[in-house]
Structures are given as structure tokens and as C-alpha cells.
Amino acid sequence: MYRPPVDEMAHTLKKIAGLEDAIAQGRFGDLSDDLIDAILEEAGKFASTRVAPLLQVGDRHGTPLKDAEVTMPPGWKDVYRDWIAGGWNGLTGEEEYGGQGLPMMLAIATFEMWNSGSMAFGIGPTLTLGAIEALEAHATHELKQIYLPKLISGEWMGTMNLTEPQAGSDVGALRTRAERSDDGTYRIFGTKIFITYGEHDLTENIIHMVLARLPDAPAGTKGISLFLVPKFLVNEDGTLGARNDVFCGGIEHKMGIHGSPTCTMIYGDGFANDREAGAVGWLIGEENRGLACMFTMMNNARLAVGIQGVAVAEAAYQKSLAYAQERRQMRAPGWVGEGMSPIIEHQDVQRDLLTMKGLTGAARSIAYACAHALDMAKTGTGDDARWWADRANLLTPVAKAFCTDVGVDVASIGIQIHGGMGYIEETGAAQFLRDARIAPIYEGTNGIQAIDLVQRKLQLGGGEHVKDYIAELRNVADAVGALNTTDLRQTATRLQTGLNDLEQASLWLQRAITAGQIREAYAGATPYLRLFGLAAGATYLAKGALAGQNPGRTALARFFAENLLSETSTLKDRIIHGAPSLLDARMALGS
Amino acid sequence: MYRPPVDEMAHTLKKIAGLEDAIAQGRFGDLSDDLIDAILEEAGKFASTRVAPLLQVGDRHGTPLKDAEVTMPPGWKDVYRDWIAGGWNGLTGEEEYGGQGLPMMLAIATFEMWNSGSMAFGIGPTLTLGAIEALEAHATHELKQIYLPKLISGEWMGTMNLTEPQAGSDVGALRTRAERSDDGTYRIFGTKIFITYGEHDLTENIIHMVLARLPDAPAGTKGISLFLVPKFLVNEDGTLGARNDVFCGGIEHKMGIHGSPTCTMIYGDGFANDREAGAVGWLIGEENRGLACMFTMMNNARLAVGIQGVAVAEAAYQKSLAYAQERRQMRAPGWVGEGMSPIIEHQDVQRDLLTMKGLTGAARSIAYACAHALDMAKTGTGDDARWWADRANLLTPVAKAFCTDVGVDVASIGIQIHGGMGYIEETGAAQFLRDARIAPIYEGTNGIQAIDLVQRKLQLGGGEHVKDYIAELRNVADAVGALNTTDLRQTATRLQTGLNDLEQASLWLQRAITAGQIREAYAGATPYLRLFGLAAGATYLAKGALAGQNPGRTALARFFAENLLSETSTLKDRIIHGAPSLLDARMALGS
């Protein structure tokens, strides 16, 4: 059973990702160390005692659809009710609308816990948060008054409706239609697919954020607008009114996260009122400016999906560690105990467990550092705010893609540690891989993240921002070197090497983009994102080791630097020297 | 739908893995090029038109158990009947017992096709082959007369019963009991788990090969014996007699290969005859020498499982390639066509597809080369036979572990290429990963393979055998260099670097083992096996490119050398420099 690593999370928040510094700067008002610890402790209790028991029941029961209504798995509604009663949905919401105005860093740490308990449970509130942020940033005061309090409390949940069959990564290709109505609202017609929590019985109302195209809109991404489409219209007194013409037309049969309903949503086909009058929607932001609103929703959702990777990795690691401590097979070299040794004593299993723990810790650090940048941007002004927004923008694709790849890799190693038992569904190790496998895909595939990093994020601040970031990481490596301890001497050298690789690859890609060698740059995008994640993650682990006398943390940082980090040399080579043979090999794939 | 890559398979057999040379040496009698092509062509037809349609029905239907009887999925029995009628089960069987005496190389190529069609279907005959080989090598003439013709024809299937709850990787810990009976037979009592095809309705009889321990047996692996235990006893006239006291007590609910029944088998609990008289068994080989018999079964089974990795990788690659050619999203850099480009035009997707294809081809080469060594050992005598047996022993753990890791990795990339559709079960991409995920576990986990490679196989021929192998690979690299073409100049250099890495790592591990630094050597076992696979696979692909004017093959060999092979430097570093930080980090995992 999942045990929230509260100490490790608090350490990562405070000593690695910048929470202590932010507090010292007065960024978070009177938020105290004690309050942070108390919040993490309470969230941990809820995640382990209430959310985690939903994991397998969600997997087995799924979310059956009948007559356009979805029934959530047994027990889920009760847990969700108590979860919102605990105020967990509103941590970061604006205080004006009932939120607690706490830092995103804290919210992300709690998200990790919900998702370690059950990724299928955790993804629901992630979508609600996206809707909240879109409304906070772009909605009229009137719409905010009506919807934000209920969304922030969690009494209603939100969704993001982007994808259509022909428009996945390419949202500009969407065809859902929006028509202006005389009363200032809009009528929406069309079909959206892969809509997470599009329909369910956890809440009385569901607030859909829908991308659609006006009749006179320009083609492509410059012609999409964002609309709020509630499942039930809301009366002036706040009670629920008529059923809106948006219905769930189907549920996907997925590899994992069976407890999360993935819906086909049909807008305006007359199911509600026997005439095709359209689903009633309200414009969010300006007409044809929906892309900006979408990115408001998606950016934080990308970080939240990244944390899902960390969360599943943590849960898979814990299960594997417990199994490796119990399961006995053979006598490991060096084992002096009676009979067969626990398999954790086998060096090969140690490598697996340390790789799992190291990657998980590195990914957590990156995700929390990204949340920190969001908080700094939000609490700053002017240049300071813009600089931190750049930092968040730089780290978001890394947090999304590196962390979700780690989730898949760590879950797969976890199956391996369990041997034959890992392949049996009742064990639970396989579910982690099945659940984790969606995270590199949704909210923008990891390939898209890598291209975003190379094409846009490396150019932030005229190309200087990433250099500043690498310089910051170098300061950590220098501090490790200055310690000059036997334990970490190699680590310091290896961090410098890894950061050299990151710097050289960054410069090469910046130059390629500037020179218009886009194909060459994109060919190296995925290796670059991983290089970035490994170098940053190794440095963060070392930073954490610097912060205190914890032999376990020091040993893990060292293992990462001396065993995992050297992959950067391979990755750098692929980026700088790999493109010609890749581009020339197009023919090997046929026409 | 799966299309057998017959040309590529024939090319790999003949030009890379050594089939042409073996034929030239007269090793395979009058086996002709034409016959080989005809066999591959026919097998391909059966695999694609009959086996492949079983894939999804097996996954959905599973193998329900009722009253100790297992029902196979709809259609499976018909396909199996026609498959054995085609003679496919007996390709390598001894001609004396109705087999065709063909090379293992051909059998392995056909195994690839059955498993590309459906891994759950393909694994059944793999177990039968293990039983056949154990009987051929160790059984009395009388037992051979009774059982081999039916097993070779496939009229009966065979199983391997090794695992017990406390005895997985450590077969020496098994407790199943065998008692001597006055009539020269034995009575077996105990429970085996994870028995593939332990019970089913494809054949009238099932021949279980069971490891058990005699009452006076020494502890550990020196006290296990192998027994033949038929589901139905066989009358003197060859007809089926009494039901033996071996029954299926349960079926596992697995992540994948749902069409393959994984059974708990209960021996001698009196279910058949209301008294605990034991299941009737016949000794194979000598008492307490069951381990040697087991390795006869397992070694070829390990290669056959390795080919499952290749098979699923091939099927996943084909599906992904087809999807990438059809699915259109955005405009790739360099795309000059109308509208959105097929996603295959995106460089990041090309990297994925080339990685899939390169790894699949490399893995296939290694598996076929291993089969070649088995054939050479079988057709040779004296030192020649022993030398080739060493070669087969060296390559077996690599073929098993590298190829099955490739199967998982390639299947996972395949999901990614499909985007959201990849996560929907109906698409079929997810099933490849769910199916493939067992192969690194069964027939000896990949960690065990890596330790076997380092501990035993590197010492073959007094440590010289692996050096000879690397020297052979170097000859290929030299030949590539001697070509001195623009295309492959880099490839030659990179092959030399990769082979240097392999040699240095091999020497380091040999010295560590000799010096008694077993923990240090085992710490590097898994990275070493992968290094071995990458270096050998890259060299084989280049060898294939040398063989003919095929621009696609040359481009793929080059892509592998310039993009994938450089991982060897990271792996060598982990092996030679990674152990201290790994061993010291045991504390980071807790007690």
C-alpha cells in the first residue's frame, strides 16, 4: 500500500525546488514551514487511506455508460465528496472565489499524492483546475461569479474539449462549429473525442471548456475560440436549470486508467430537446483568440500530467521495494544470512531499485521546480514576473515529457522486479504500467513537448534564458566540487560533464534553428529533452544532498551521477551527429 | 494486418546469420535455397491468414477454466489442427519419429512468424518443442517410441513444469515430491504454478515435463529429477487410457497473452481417483540429474522466447508504420505536399520508426545467429561441435534478454506513434506491449540471463570464446571500412568504437570474476548484456548491408551505427565505473 513520502516531498519542495527561498522573499505571505508540513501530512493521510483503495476497484469496474450517463466505480463518489469537503480542490484557487490562494508548489505535491493513490482519480481534478485557470485568466466577471466558486470548491468539475478525430496534436484542424446567438451566447455543434471525465456522476454539473470555430473564422489555429458549455444551464439563483444539449456518446476501452471515463462528447445534435438548436455556450476571452486560453489551460495541465509520471513511479517503486525486501530467491554474492537472500540483496535488483528511485527523485525535482517558477511568476511583477514565466515555460515541456517517460520506465522495471507475479494483474504492478502509459500521450505527446522545447523554449530571452538556467545548475555542481568530499568528488566531475553536454547540445540546436535547419533540429528534439531532464535531475539530486546530512540522499545522488547521468554523452552525440543518418534513412521506411 | 517480412528474414538467415555458409559446408544435406524460400513463403501465408486473426480474439476471450478444464478461445482449435496438419510442429524433429530434421534456423524463422501473428498462440508449440528436445536427448527408447511421434506431429502438446511459489528463478528450492513405485514408474505430488498451456482443449493429451525431488535427494539443484507425466496414461496400443492425477487448479489473470492459459497444476491430490496415490510419472534421464535435462529444455526455449521479442517488435513496427503513413497531422518541416503531412514525415516520428526497425533487425540477427550455432553444433562432431555449442551458449542469454527487451521497447514506442489511438484497446497497439511484457520474465528473467552471461558464458573456452566472437565482429567492421564508401565510412568507425567498448567491458568483467569481485561483476551484468546486443546487432546489420545493393538496408545499418550504437559508451562506463556507487547506495533503499 502507498505510503506518501512526505519527508522526501518536503525536502524537494524546500531545499531543491526553491520553496524556502520564495518564503524568505515574502512571496507567500505568512505561509509557514509548519503549515506546509501539516498540509502535506494531511494530504498524505487522505491519499493513502481514501484514494489508494480506489486504485484496483477503478481498474476492475471501469466506468460503464448507459443511456448517455456514466456510473463511476463503487466508492469513488464518497471519496470525491470527502475530498472536496477537505478543501483539496481549492488549494490554489483565488481567495475571492473561495480558494485558498496557496502556491502551486503545494498543489503539485498534493497532486502527486492523489495520483500515486490512483492516477484515474487524480486526472479528474487536473481538468477542473485547467478550467478554473482559464476562467480566472480570461472569463468575464459575471461568468466568474457563476462558475468559479463551484469549480474551486469542486462541487462541479471541469473538462477540456480539444481533440477531434482529425485534430489531435494539431488543434488547428478542429471543425466543431460555434454560431452566434442573438442573446450574446453561442450555439455549439460538433463531436469531441477522448474527453477525460466528460461525463460522470461525481458532481451534479460538469463545466466543459470547448474549442470551436465561428462561421467566419480564419483557418487554422487563428480561428479557434473557447466556450464554456455547462452540462446543465445555471439559473440566476445559482440552481441548475435545463439540460444542455451536450451528451456522452461513447466511452473508450483503454489500456489503463479504467476509473477515468474517456468520453466522446456530442454537442448540439438535438438529443436534449429534439431539435438541432445547438449546445448553449459562453465565449471565454475573445473570438478567435481561443488558442491563448487553451494554453492557459494546457500549460498547467502539462505540469500536472508530468506529476502523474512522478506519482506512478513513486507508487511502483514502493511496491517493488516492499516485494524485493520480502521475496527470497538464491543467495546473493556477499549474503551472509540464513538460506535464500531477499532479492534486494542481488546487485542487479539493487540497480533496478536505485534506478527507479533515482529517476523518480529527479523527475519530482524538475516538476516541483517548474511549479516554483509558476508561483514566482504569479507573485512577481514586471521583469521579474516575465523572467519567471520564461522559466516556467522552459521547464514545462521537460516536466511533462521527462517525468511521464520516467513513469513508464519505472513502472516497467517494477514489473520486472516482481518476476512472474508482476505479470499477474492481482499483484498490481502491471496496472502501474498500464495506467502510466497514457501520460506520455495526453496533453500533447512527448514528441510535441520535445519540439516545443527545441523550437520555442530554447529561444526564450533571445536564447539567453536556457544559458542562465544551465549556469544556475553549474553553481550547484561547483558547490558539490567545493565540498571536496570523498563521496561526492566523482559526482561533481560528472555533473560538470553532463552540464557540458547539455550546454553544447543547446547551443547546437539554437544555431540549427537560427540557420533554418529545422529538420536537423527536430531530429534531435527527443534526445535533447531527455538530456535536459537527466542533467537537471542529477543536479537537483546533488543539490538536495548538499542541503543536509543524509547518507541515503547522498548515496542516491552519487548513484545517479555515476550510473545514470553518463547517458548524456550518448544523447549529445545523437543530437549533434545523428541527424544526417536519420534524415537519409527515410527511404528505409518505404514510401 | 501482419505481413511476414519474408525477404528480410531470408536475407538475415542467409547473409547475416550463416545459413548460406552452412549449406555450402554441406551441413544441411540437400536443403536448397529454393526450399528455404518456399518454406518461409508458406509459413508466412499461414501466419498472416490463419494465426494473425487469432490475436485479438485471444486477448478478448481468454481461456476460461471450468471443472478443471480449459476452453481455448473461439477458432483456436481449428487453426491449431490445420497448423499441425501442415507439418509446422515437426520442422526440427528427428526424422525417425516423423520429424523433418530441418535446421533450427528455419524453425526459428517460422516461430517468429507464428509469434508475430499471435504470441499467445506461438508460445504453446515452444513448450512442446522443449519437451521434444528433452525426450530426444534424455529419454529411454521406449518412452521415445510412445511419446515422440505424437509430440513431433503436434497431436499432443508438451509443457514444462518448473516453477513453484517459493521456487521461481531458484529452481533448486522446489518441493514437488516424487516417490519410486514398484513398477519402475514414479508417483508425483505437489503444486506447480505459472504452467503455460498446462491445460487446454487443443489436443487430446498433454505431456507434462515435471521437475520434482526424490525423498532421498540432496538439497538444492543437485537433488532434482525430471519426470514425464501425461494427462492421460497411454495404453500399449497407443490409445489413451486412464486419466492421470494431474489437474488444473486455477488460471492466472494476466496483463497480456490472454490466449495462453497459465495454469496452476496440481499433482497427486487424489482428484482423479479419490485417493492420494500420486500422479504417475516416468523418469527422464537419471535420478537427481534433472537439472541437465531442464537445461536441454530451457536453452532452446530461451532462444524461442527471444524470438517472441523479435516477433512482437516486427508486428508493432508494421502497425506503426502503416498508421504513420496514413495519419496526417500538421505540416512537417520540408513537407511540400498539400495540407497536413502524414506523420511519418515528421523527423521525430522517423526517429521512432527507424529505432523500431533497427532494433528489430538487430535482435532478429542475433536470434538467428544463435539458431545457426545450435545447428552447427548439432551437425558437427568433436571439437567443432563443442566450439559451436559454446557459441550457442554464449549467444543464448543475449538472444533471450536483448530481444525481449527490444520487444517491450519497440511495442511501447509503437503505442506512442499512435497517439491517443494507441491507448485504445481496439487499435491493437497496446496489446503488443501487454503481450510482450512477459517475455523478459519467463524462461529465466532477463536479470538471470545477464548474470548467466557474465558468470558462465564469458568464461567459455577459458575466456577465449568471447574474444573470438568479438574478433569475428571486427572482421565485419574492417570489411565495412575497406569499402570506404561515403555512406558507410562513419559506420565503420562507429562499429570499431562499439566493439572496443564491448571488448573492454568483457575483459573488465572477466578479470572481476577471476579476482572474485562477484558483486562488482554482477552489478554490471544487465548493462553488459545490452552492450553486447547493441554491438553485435549493429555489426550484423552492417554485415547485411555489405551483402548487397540495397539502399534501405544500408541506410538502416548506418542509422543504427550513428544513432543507436553510441549507447555502448554509456553502458561501458556503467560496467567499469558504476559498481562502487551502486554498492554503496544499498543504504538508500532502506533495510
Side-chain angles (χ1 to χ4, degrees), chain B residues 41-55:
Chain B
E41 200 63 49
E42 283 306 307
K45 273 185 206 159
F46 196 94
S48 56
T49 62
R50 303 297 309 280
V51 181
L54 303 180
L55 180 66

Side-chain angles (χ1 to χ4, degrees), chain A residues 104-128:
Chain A
M104 179 60 76
M105 293 189 83
L106 268 177
I108 281 297
T110 63
F111 267 59
E112 181 189 322
M113 297 195 245
W114 320 134
N115 281 291
S116 284
S118 160
M119 211 178 118
F121 181 86
I123 191 62
T126 296
L127 278 300
T128 304

Side-chain angles (χ1 to χ4, degrees), chain A residues 189-454:
Chain A
F189 303 86
T191 299
K192 295 285 184 176
I193 62 168
F194 298 165
I195 306 309
T196 300
Y197 277 72
E199 165 61 23
H200 57 77
D201 59 1
L202 293 185
T203 56
E204 288 187 340
N205 207 1
I206 301 172
I207 312 306
H208 304 291
M209 307 300 288
V210 185
L211 286 183
R213 191 179 293 284
L214 287 161
D216 50 4
T221 53
K222 287 176 182 158
I224 57 181
S225 308
L226 180 67
F227 300 91
L228 180 155
V229 183
K231 177 176 173 182
F232 286 95
L233 303 183
V234 182
N235 298 322
E236 285 195 6
D237 63 358
T239 59
L240 296 188
R243 182 73 165 82
N244 204 354
D245 194 8
V246 46
F247 287 89
C248 175
I251 287 273
E252 303 294 350
H253 173 219
K254 306 187 301 295
M255 185 185 197
I257 56 166
H258 296 166
S260 165
T262 303
C263 306
T264 299
M265 300 304 295
I266 301 170
Y267 290 84
D269 82 335
F271 192 89
N273 42 25
D274 286 333
R275 58 195 167 88
E276 295 194 15
V280 183
W282 283 262
L283 182 70
I284 304 298
E286 295 173 41
E287 288 186 353
N288 298 333
R289 300 292 294 275
L291 200 68
C293 305
M294 184 194 83
F295 274 114
T296 303
M297 289 194 295
M298 280 201 78
N299 264 337
N300 293 5
R302 286 175 171 183
L303 170 58
V305 167
I307 209 70
Q308 292 194 302
V310 178
V312 179
E314 174 67 34
Y317 167 70
Q318 289 189 18
K319 185 182 262 303
S320 301
L321 178 65
Y323 185 80
Q325 286 165 333
E326 290 230 334
R327 172 71 173 173
R328 288 168 181 262
Q329 286 288 277
M330 315 216 229
R331 293 179 64 82
W335 171 249
V336 293
E338 285 286 311
M340 296 194 284
S341 46
I343 62 171
I344 194 176
E345 301 303 333
H346 291 281
Q347 288 75 34
D348 191 62
V349 175
Q350 284 170 25
R351 176 178 290 282
D352 279 345
L353 288 166
L354 289 165
T355 301
M356 296 172 87
K357 191 178 171 90
L359 288 174
T360 305
R364 177 182 289 125
S365 302
I366 291 168
Y368 289 10
C370 182
H372 172 252
L374 288 169
D375 286 327
M376 296 297 275
K378 195 170 180 179
T379 56
T381 54
D383 283 349
D384 173 74
R386 274 187 291 277
W387 190 90
W388 281 108
D390 279 357
R391 173 59 51 87
N393 282 329
L394 176 68
L395 293 184
T396 295
V398 183
K400 197 280 176 176
F402 180 76
C403 296
T404 55
D405 283 344
V406 162
V408 170
D409 291 346
V410 167
S412 190
I413 300 173
I415 292 176
Q416 193 66 24
I417 288 178
H418 283 80
M421 290 304 296
Y423 202 61
I424 307 301
E425 284 290 1
E426 284 76 3
T427 305
Q431 189 187 341
F432 289 133
L433 178 57
R434 289 190 294 97
D435 284 356
R437 194 62 194 76
I438 186 57
I441 296 172
Y442 61 16
E443 297 306 331
T445 65
N446 285 4
I448 297 281
Q449 304 300 324
I451 288 171
D452 174 52
L453 177 63
V454 165

Side-chain angles (χ1 to χ4, degrees), chain B residues 68-149:
Chain B
E69 295 194 349
V70 167
T71 306
M72 293 296 281
W76 282 52
K77 199 167 174 174
D78 291 344
V79 172
Y80 182 78
R81 185 197 56 225
D82 295 347
W83 184 80
I84 62 172
W88 296 114
N89 195 60
L91 282 192
T92 58
E94 291 181 3
E95 290 170 272
E96 181 184 352
Y97 300 105
Q100 299 170 54
L102 286 165
M104 180 61 76
M105 292 188 85
L106 268 178
I108 281 296
T110 63
F111 267 59
E112 181 189 320
M113 296 195 245
W114 320 134
N115 281 290
S116 284
S118 161
M119 209 179 120
F121 181 86
I123 191 63
T126 297
L127 279 301
T128 303
L129 183 62
I132 289 169
E133 287 171 345
L135 294 182
E136 284 180 351
H138 305 287
T140 62
H141 183 69
E142 195 187 350
L143 285 176
K144 286 185 185 179
Q145 296 284 349
I146 300 170
Y147 292 99
L148 273 180

